[in-house]
Amino acid sequence: MPELSPRGVAVPRRRLSHSVLVDADAIREAIPVLRPGGDAFDVELGVRFAEHFPTLHRLFRDLYGHLPEGLAALVAVVDLAVTTWRERPEALKDVDRSRSANPAWFQSNTMLAGVCYVDRYGGSIEGIRRQIPYFVELGLTVLHLMPLFASPEGNDDGGYAVSSYRDVDPGIGTMEELAGLARDLREVGISLEVDLIFNHTSNEHEWARHAVAGDVVDGVNYEDFYLIFPDRTLPDAYERTTREIFPDDHPGSFIQLPDGRWIWATFYHFQWDLNYANPEVFRAMAGEMLFLANQGVGIFRMDAVAFMWKQLGTACESLPQVHLLLQAFNALLSIAAPGVVLKSEAIVHPDEVVSYISPQECPLSYNPLQMALTWEALATRDASMLNQALERRHNLPEGTAWINYVRSHDDIGWTFADEDAAELGINGFEHRRFLNRFYVGREPGSFARGVPFQDNPRTGDCRITGTTAALTGIEAGDPGGVDRAVLAYSLALSTGGIPLLYLGDEVAQLNDPSYVTRPEEADDSRWVHRPFYPAQAYAARGDRTTPSGQVFSALTRLIALRKRTPELGGGRLWPFHTGLRSVVAFQRPGWTDDLPRVLVLANVGDDGVHVPAERFAGFDRVAHELITATDVALRDGVYLRPHGVVWLHVTPR
Ligand code: GLC
């Protein structure tokens, strides 16, 4: 079937252009530093080129082989990679070398990530720099700074509408300051993570302005950077199968330009999707990525990956080409800046989430299923769904890891698989409705003070916003609130991968309802859980009579403990069956199967429970409970208080 191009013309699939079948030797001929034996030869680069170019080449052939300009783009990106490496600061090359020598670096039990907004948490890049001693005290090894690039005042989607990837938002600092911050963080063992928002740009990005004006600059036709249609014919056709992402902002996936044409905008009307079917777009974004890599970014959070490729008659989410694109970005980094790691943000069906995770694509990924089911378990006081997910969907391929988190700057979507729920006799649709009611405090027994996000009465879809303290009951003064918050983080800290702390959660930061008074935020309830630096809560963190002090002391203890417990590193997880519905239970094996393990038990129920002795028959009689540092005689079974957590160091018999 012919493909439909954005302009609505049927384009027959051309045969692979033979020009893209250029081989590595032809490239070596054109780029002297890659030519072994030549004066300019760079051995490290040459070795990596030999290893990764064939992959990049194959991906380009698959993505762009039918286009005459495919070859030019491939040669251009290789050229970019070479220049990036040549210009890469020596300190970053050292990071490349050490990470390449130890590719499991992010699997260590010493890893801990934190995330915050530069403006809200530190006021500026300089303000964030001043927090470094605190980040060290906490034990962070990764700092994810929320989008900090130039973006239009008001129409910025919290920084996710970027108008220049090479400029820091002037209100918070400069690119030089960012590079300096990355350097200072690196010196204390913290890797800088930033977003690569590459599915879309702001409508005020230079590319977008050129696109609307129909400009061709230096031979680049910017109209083809986005998906612009003369009328509703194709938009209507696409919308038959796409889903609405921000229905509060605009229905469907398109918005109308002042001149009457239609442009693809999956998220806000001012965020225009890039057209990755155009190899020029790949090249341009590769340039931005490599530029940032050389500023000292160690991890890229690949924003909204699922939406990067469109094809008529499909949901236009997670299409095979998206994977090829990510693999191509990865291959490019492997040549140019091999220490830099990609983390995928795919908040989609669990089967699709894992499709992004591999050493060749995104070695790191958010774990939205564990996050959502942690909240599900707390609401239902039933750990069945979470245990099922841990048993069935947790283990990942070698060389990859989850980012385990409790909440992010975004809403909580109930992304579990309906099939999994059905096996437990749960109707997914009804259950999501229950959870939404629960977390906005509309169910009896609810302790939560969440706010609905993108409530769509037409589809029944809705998501939840709120800080951890607001959703666990601390804000409502529920007596179980502090323990629930600690329990939720204890899971993120014990299931492996990299645990991620939303900075402020460790001092029980509450919701900030004042967003409704700011017109540019009022319509987006996610601002309720993106509050400003909670100075008071931080000041109270040493005071155990306050929730801030209680959460802080418990979390810092767990963090320190994790760093001393190698079994909690890596990602392998085995189930453990207690026979009790309210108990989350799993084992974290050490490096080999017969070594001591950590057995995690967490009671999401409001009542204490007793795990009977026979469940522990496979272990030596005495276990060591790590959190309280006490020995436990397993012949008595294990008592778990309401919302109680134990990390038992057990030895298999
Ligand atoms: C991601 C971000 C979210 C943003 C969206 C569009 O999902 O996490 O905050 O609104 O992408 O960029």
Side-chain angles (χ1 to χ4, degrees), residues 157 160 200 246 267 271 301 303-304 345 409-410 526 530:
D157 185 22
Y160 283 97
H200 43 261
F246 280 3
F267 295 91
Q271 285 164 306
R301 173 190 184 274
D303 182 61
E345 191 240 357
H409 69 290
D410 278 332
R526 292 174 300 175
R530 301 167 177 175

Side-chain angles (χ1 to χ4, degrees), residues 482-483 486 506 508 540-557:
V482 166
D483 286 346
V486 175
E506 78 282 21
R541 73 183 195 267
D543 177 356
R544 305 258 181 107
T545 64
T546 64
S548 298
Q550 289 156 3
V551 172
F552 187 78
S553 68
L555 288 196
T556 46
R557 188 162 60 238

Side-chain angles (χ1 to χ4, degrees), residues 2 18 48 50 193 199 320 361 373 389 414 441 509 520 592 640 650:
H18 65 276
R48 294 201 307 270
E193 173 180 338
N199 174 68
E361 195 167 325
L373 292 181
W414 308 107
Q509 181 167 27
E520 66 286 5
T592 65
L640 294 167
V650 293

Side-chain angles (χ1 to χ4, degrees), residues 213-228:
D215 292 342
V216 177
V217 184
D218 296 335
V220 177
N221 179 355
Y222 283 93
E223 209 172 322
D224 288 343
F225 264 49
Y226 298 85
L227 296 130
I228 305 176

